[in-house]
Amino acid sequence: MDKIINYINEGNYFIVTSHVNPDGDNIGSTLAMYYYLKSLDKDVYYVLDDDTPINLKFLLKDIEILSSEEFINLNIEQYNLIALDCGDLNRICIDKSIIENSKKLICIDHHASNDNYGDLNYVMPEESSTCELVYNLLKKINEDKNTQVIDQKIATALYTGVVTDTGKFSYSNTHPSTFEMAKELLILGAETNKVICEVYGNNPYNYYKLLGEALNTLDIINNKIAVITLTQDMLNRNNVSFKDTDGITPYCRDIENVEVGILVKEKSSNEIKISLRSKNYVDVSKVAKVFNGGGHVRAAGLTIFNETIENAIKMVVAETLKYI
Ligand code: 5GP
Ligand code: MN
Ligand code: MN
């Protein structure tokens, strides 16, 4: 932590970024770091080559996210890169040249599969979220400076990440420290009700039409594995984008007797994104790893290229059955 704090203090130019398929912890942690660096009058750029989900747009109202191309066109030569919530180097959602040309790559993350790919790594797999790590870092800075650096915007961003990565404080990654952090953020002005309303309580009508179709595909294998499939046709028919379908994932896990939920999403004609969730005993990150994916014990993901949906499901179900 101290080394990272030193780098932050000494550097003038920073990029903050995160992983492909942005989620609440991705955006919350990146944004909190962005706001903190801004508060120090650093030149900071939020760079990400992916669309953000509509239920997280409220956080990004005052922010400009640059594409890699836009950043490269600025011709900034000396910069540090802070990658947040990225389990591996390949998932950092910016152009490889930007990573290669950075002075230092600082990695802040909580994925067990993280191999410490950064020049400086603050990686704590047992923590609830990357937002909890950023919170710990800012708390340390508070102590060093004897002042409060977490303002309302930072608190709201951090709260969003911890709420989404813990399934509203329900998953096994919710520790006493997680509640302590939530309490502190509330005291610091985090807009907790707004976060819940925006993230979970604002789904468009079309989303429910899609959800209905998705639930119709539900298949249960050996009473223990549930599979829900979302095709491009279903997304197009209901006018819902791929990035706005994360809310469907819990439905395949939250079924009587089911241990592993598998959400299969056709991202494009040759790319199938699969989300894995488990309840009690299956380490789904092990299943994901077999397909070059990764993640956590209870939540992991992978992508299968150039296979039919049927084959992709067969392969992942066969691997999952080994742990049932
Ligand atoms: P989701 O299924 O919601 O996309 O992701 C669940 C968890 O697994 C998240 O922590 C996410 O970052 C991670 N994850 C998802 N897909 C991949 C992947 O292809 N590779 C790795 N390393 N992690 C992934
Ligand atoms: Mn994430
Ligand atoms: Mn996370």
Side-chain angles (χ1 to χ4, degrees), residues 18-19 21-26 85 91 110-111 165:
S18 188
H19 63 76
N21 299 325
D23 56 33
D25 192 31
N26 165 316
D85 201 38
R91 271 172 66 76
H110 69 128
H111 289 91
D165 258 27

Side-chain angles (χ1 to χ4, degrees), residues 52-90:
T52 50
I54 34 173
N55 64 342
L56 294 164
K57 295 262 189 231
F58 73 102
L59 283 177
L60 298 164
K61 273 199 323 272
D62 309 324
I63 295 296
E64 191 188 4
I65 298 184
L66 301 182
S67 65
S68 289
E69 195 186 344
E70 285 168 328
F71 177 77
I72 289 167
N73 287 339
L74 295 175
N75 285 319
I76 293 166
E77 281 180 1
Q78 297 268 320
Y79 54 86
N80 292 307
L81 175 58
I82 308 183
L84 298 112
D85 201 38
C86 287
D88 68 63
L89 194 59
N90 292 329

